[in-house]
């Protein structure tokens, strides 16, 4: 078992996470305010952008392969190196969905 340092950019927070543990589980134990919902890699609520480092997240079904290179679903992701993560950053697919919803909400207001 190896422990890695996971730093959350812009927050000043960093925690030690074992390579056998999900980042979300470590956050909950350490009192870090990481958002989550499904905890099974589907909803993307727990997404963070990978600024530096590597994770393994074979069960992150909510991400495409390309997205999984740049984003971690913290409920599924385990560190493979020291990491820098930007919490609350979502892959382009979900941002596009959110924009489409905003536009339809704006259209409904007219
Ligand atoms: S909590 Fe839903 S994908 Fe992680």
């Amino acid at each position: 078992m190896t422990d890695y340092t996971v730093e959350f950019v812009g927050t000043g927070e960093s925690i030690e996470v074992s390579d056998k543990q999900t980042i979300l589980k470590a956050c909950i134990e350490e009192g870090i305010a990481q958002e989550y919902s499904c905890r099974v890699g589907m909803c993307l609520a727990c997404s963070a952008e990978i600024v530096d480092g590597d994770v393994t997240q074979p069960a992150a079904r909510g991400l495409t392969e390309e997205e999984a290179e740049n984003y971690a679903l913290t409920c599924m992701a385990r560190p493979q190196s020291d990491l820098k993560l930007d919490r609350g950053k979502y892959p382009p697919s979900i941002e596009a969905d959110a924009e489409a919803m905003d536009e339809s909400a704006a259209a409904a207001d007219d």
Side-chain angles (χ1 to χ4, degrees), residues 44 62-64 67 71 90-99:
L44 308 191
L63 295 177
T64 64
E67 289 170 342
Y71 294 87
Y90 303 96
S93 56
I94 197 173
E95 298 284 6
D97 284 353
E99 273 172 33

Side-chain angles (χ1 to χ4, degrees), residues 24 35-47 73-76:
L24 176 62
E35 282 190 40
Y36 65 92
S37 180
C38 72
R39 297 184 75 168
V40 292
M42 292 300 290
C43 75
L44 308 191
C46 67
S47 175
L73 295 185
T74 58
C75 69
M76 290 288 135

Side-chain angles (χ1 to χ4, degrees), residues 5-21:
T5 301
V6 179
E7 181 186 332
F8 297 101
V9 300
T11 70
E13 296 165 325
S14 73
I15 55 174
E16 295 296 306
V17 185
S18 139
D19 61 353
K20 302 276 185 259
Q21 188 178 33

Side-chain angles (χ1 to χ4, degrees), residues 7 9 23 47-57 63 66-74 77-78 81-87 89:
E7 181 186 332
V9 300
I23 295 162
S47 175
E49 187 172 3
I50 302 170
V51 176
D52 197 20
D54 293 306
V55 300
T56 180
Q57 50 181 348
L63 295 177
E66 198 177 17
E67 289 170 342
E69 290 176 15
N70 297 313
Y71 294 87
L73 295 185
T74 58
R78 297 160 206 267
S81 70
D82 288 343
L83 281 171
K84 285 188 182 165
L85 296 180
D86 198 353
R87 287 208 311 265
K89 290 285 163 65

